[in-house]
Amino acid sequence: MGNKKKSRRYFLKTLGAVTGAAFLGLWGLMTGDLQKNKRKKTISIPLDDNRAVLFSEDCIVINSGQPKVFSSYCTHLGCRIKTLEDSKLVCPCHGSMFDLNGNPLKGPAVKPLEKLEFTINKNSNIMTIKI
Ligand code: FES
């Protein structure tokens, strides 16, 4: 009787481990593809605006001094940041704050905002950003 319980327990543990590993593998494949597809999109933003911070669909352009571009998605749980208060980028969901270099000033977010690659056409003054 004791051996039957042990073998059932062993079977259930093994089944759980195999199911969990399969799920994690599929999840990795799915999210990996999403990340790759996500990077294929580009957007163009005219920089003839005098605002120092521009909020676009998926990004935040810091247009003062050396231009910088960050993902507008908060590194805590991914809410879209679209507010500037006292020169700080503020997440509407849980109140994380970031400086204009993308560094977290106040949690719960602890990671900096993701930097995005971009180019600027000097003639047209249009910024092209890889999202
Ligand atoms: S998602 Fe931004 S603080 Fe939680």
Side-chain angles (χ1 to χ4, degrees), residues 74 76-79 91 93-96 108:
C74 180
H76 177 227
L77 293 177
C79 288
C91 180
C93 291
H94 310 104
S96 287

Side-chain angles (χ1 to χ4, degrees), residues 16-65:
V18 168
T19 304
F23 176 77
L24 288 175
L26 283 174
W27 182 259
L29 286 174
M30 287 172 21
T31 56
D33 282 348
L34 286 176
Q35 290 297 326
K36 281 181 207 163
N37 290 337
K38 204 174 150 191
R39 293 285 175 235
K40 288 180 183 169
K41 184 178 162 190
T42 60
I43 60 166
S44 296
I45 296 176
L47 288 179
D48 52 2
D49 196 310
N50 285 334
R51 287 178 292 172
V53 180
L54 303 168
F55 293 94
S56 181
E57 192 180 315
D58 293 323
C59 63
I60 302 166
V61 177
I62 309 300
N63 189 22
S64 62

Side-chain angles (χ1 to χ4, degrees), residues 71-125:
S71 166
S72 61
Y73 295 97
C74 180
T75 55
H76 177 227
L77 293 177
C79 288
R80 205 172 128 224
I81 298 169
K82 48 190 172 187
T83 307
L84 181 70
E85 289 177 16
D86 297 327
S87 297
K88 295 173 190 125
L89 303 165
V90 182
C91 180
C93 291
H94 310 104
S96 287
M97 291 184 176
F98 301 87
D99 66 17
L100 298 184
N101 291 311
N103 297 314
L105 298 171
K106 177 181 169 280
V110 292
K111 292 182 187 169
L113 295 175
E114 180 186 6
K115 287 184 180 174
L116 301 178
E117 291 179 34
F118 64 91
T119 57
I120 298 175
N121 182 321
K122 297 281 182 194
N123 295 326
S124 61
N125 211 19

